[in-house]
């Protein structure tokens, strides 16, 4: 074999090897999944893509409370979105999470049930306090089988809530687009910045609204580390009921307390208050100086007039 031919073969082989966590398209052809620029940790795992508002909160909900979840990654996805989106520039993209899961420990169907209980199905302009297209909700399917399951789960949700108007439930079921992983500082935000995270989540009204929509009991069932409502079990993709495993990152449970403003918020507030005080002081002093100058001018005029009247 000539050297040139050998180099050609090497180049062709290299071109077929995906770059892990790079910008290349990492596709699992066996399952018709498009994991975008994220590589699953095992070839036996599957993934699911959902948009449920702020990806910080969606990531926490799945990593802590959903059974069989291996990893959750925040990112961007949208069939009409730009290439290589960023947090500052992602038109046409939803904020999404990619959920890597073990099909022997959970199922696409069960994880969709969790998705519904973590979004407001009536809000077509965003989710909770966040407004705009990128914060709207959406559930994605990778193939016809998943599409049928997604439609079935939606029907089951509506059956459980006969008082809901079908037309008012605005969560779309969409074909799964390419996934772009978000910047590193967004990943595991609830673990790395618990104070800021809990302050944002509470102020945004996420938990309050979810309880209003789904009811206190149903909310608690899907946000329970003990899975008390499900007897600590989960049904996998083979239809077998097994012992459920949650919170694989062993993250501390939310405090449930109403957090005060985070440190950065306090600093901003103090700087703002000092700035306002400075403007007020300057605004008060300026007319006083002008008045003083006028009075001094009058005094000088009186003295000059008196001097002129002297014989």
């Amino acid at each position: 074999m000539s050297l040139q031919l050998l180099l050609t073969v090497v180049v062709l082989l290299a071109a077929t090897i995906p770059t892990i966590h790079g910008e290349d398209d990492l596709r699992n052809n066996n399952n018709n999944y498009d994991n975008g620029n994220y590589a699953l940790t095992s070839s036996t795992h599957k993934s699911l893509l959902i948009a449920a508002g702020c990806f910080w909160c969606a990531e926490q909900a799945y990593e802590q409370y959903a059974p069989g979840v291996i990893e959750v990654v925040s990112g961007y996805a949208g069939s009409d979105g730009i290439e290589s989106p960023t947090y500052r520039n992602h038109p046409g993209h939803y904020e999404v999470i990619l959920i890597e899961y073990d099909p022997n420990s959970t199922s696409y169907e069960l994880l969709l049930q969790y998705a519904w209980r973590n979004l407001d199905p009536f809000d077509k302009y965003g989710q909770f306090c966040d407004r705009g297209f990128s914060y709207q909700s959406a559930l994605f399917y990778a193939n016809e089988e998943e599409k049928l399951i997604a439609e079935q789960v939606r029907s089951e949700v509506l059956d459980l809530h006969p008082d809901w108007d079908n037309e008012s439930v605005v969560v779309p079921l969409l074909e799964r687009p390419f996934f772009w992983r978000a910047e590193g500082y967004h990943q595991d935000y609830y673990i790395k910045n618990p104070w800021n995270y809990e302050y944002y989540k509470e102020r945004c009204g996420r938990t309050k609204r979810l309880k209003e929509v789904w009811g206190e009991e149903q909310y608690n069932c899907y946000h329970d580390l003990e899975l008390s409502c499900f007897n600590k079990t989960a049904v996998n993709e083979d239809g077998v009921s097994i012992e459920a495993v949650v919170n694989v990152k062993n993250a501390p449970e939310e405090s449930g307390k109403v957090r005060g403003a985070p440190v950065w918020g306090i600093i901003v507030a103090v700087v703002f208050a000092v700035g306002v005080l400075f403007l007020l002081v300057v605004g008060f002093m300026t007319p006083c100086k002008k008045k003083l100058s006028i009075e001094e001018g009058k005094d000088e005029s009186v003295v000059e007039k008196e001097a002129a009247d002297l014989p």
Side-chain angles (χ1 to χ4, degrees):
M1 181 182 292
S2 68
L3 179 59
Q4 183 178 1
L5 180 58
L6 180 60
L7 288 173
T8 302
V9 171
V10 171
V11 170
L12 290 173
L13 287 174
T16 64
I17 301 175
T19 303
I20 304 303
H21 299 298
E23 297 300 327
D24 295 302
D25 184 356
L26 303 178
R27 300 179 191 274
N28 185 333
N29 293 320
N30 294 328
N31 297 307
N32 296 323
Y33 294 126
D34 187 349
N35 296 307
N37 61 347
Y38 171 76
L40 300 182
T41 60
S42 170
S43 60
T44 64
H45 294 168
K46 293 184 178 181
S47 67
L48 163 68
L49 206 66
I50 72 163
C54 168
F55 45 32
W56 296 345
C57 300
E59 183 178 338
Q60 183 239 343
Y62 269 90
E63 284 194 339
Q64 281 205 280
Y65 301 115
V69 170
I70 305 300
E71 179 68 78
V72 180
V73 186
S74 293
Y76 316 100
S79 58
D80 299 321
I82 64 171
E83 293 283 310
S84 304
T86 65
Y87 186 67
R88 298 298 179 189
N89 184 37
H90 56 273
H93 285 280
Y94 294 93
E95 279 200 9
V96 299
I97 55 169
L98 184 146
I99 304 150
E100 179 181 353
Y101 66 93
D102 181 357
N104 293 313
S105 302
T106 188
S107 67
Y108 175 76
E109 179 180 351
L110 179 57
L111 294 178
L112 278 187
Q113 295 283 3
Y114 272 81
W116 281 96
R117 274 72 179 187
N118 278 286
L119 55 80
D120 179 353
F122 307 113
D123 192 344
K124 62 180 178 180
Y125 299 111
Q127 285 288 291
F128 315 105
C129 69
D130 295 312
R131 305 287 86 194
F133 175 81
S134 63
Y135 294 109
Q136 292 176 16
S137 61
L139 304 177
F140 300 95
Y141 55 85
N143 48 49
E144 283 302 310
E145 180 184 2
E146 286 192 352
K147 182 180 181 181
L148 292 174
I149 294 172
E151 291 172 345
Q152 173 193 326
V153 171
R154 184 183 190 279
S155 296
E156 290 174 356
V157 168
L158 290 172
D159 289 343
L160 286 172
H161 301 273
D163 55 319
W164 288 4
D165 176 16
N166 181 55
E167 297 300 319
S168 65
V169 175
V170 294
V171 184
L173 306 179
L174 303 175
E175 187 174 356
R176 181 170 169 167
F178 185 87
F179 171 77
W180 298 90
R181 184 171 181 155
E183 296 84 343
Y185 65 89
H186 287 301
Q187 311 301 334
D188 294 326
Y189 191 86
Y190 73 101
I191 296 175
K192 294 184 289 188
N193 300 281
W195 188 286
N196 290 357
Y197 171 73
E198 289 191 33
Y199 176 80
Y200 158 76
K201 184 178 178 181
E202 192 275 329
R203 296 301 184 206
C204 197
R206 189 181 186 98
T207 300
K208 180 175 181 291
R209 178 57 181 162
L210 288 176
K211 288 181 177 181
E212 289 173 356
V213 171
W214 299 98
E216 188 98 17
E217 182 179 352
Q218 198 166 167
Y219 174 86
N220 291 336
C221 282
Y222 285 87
H223 298 81
D224 176 19
L225 291 175
E226 300 300 323
L227 278 79
S228 306
C229 298
F230 307 108
N231 297 318
K232 298 184 179 179
T233 62
V235 177
N236 66 17
E237 292 204 341
D238 293 325
V240 178
S241 182
I242 62 169
E243 183 178 356
V245 177
V246 298
N247 197 21
V248 292
K249 292 186 177 179
N250 198 32
E253 194 167 5
E254 290 179 88
S255 67
K257 299 177 181 177
V258 177
R259 294 282 193 178
V263 175
W264 62 263
I266 295 173
I267 293 173
V268 170
V270 169
V271 171
F272 178 76
V274 170
V276 170
L277 182 61
F278 174 77
L279 292 174
L280 289 173
V281 170
V282 170
F284 175 76
M285 292 297 293
T286 300
C288 289
K289 288 181 178 179
K290 288 182 178 179
K291 184 177 180 181
L292 182 59
S293 298
I294 293 171
E295 293 297 332
E296 288 176 349
K298 288 181 179 179
D299 291 343
E300 290 177 359
S301 298
V302 170
V303 171
E304 291 174 358
K305 185 176 180 182
E306 290 176 350
D309 291 339
L310 291 174

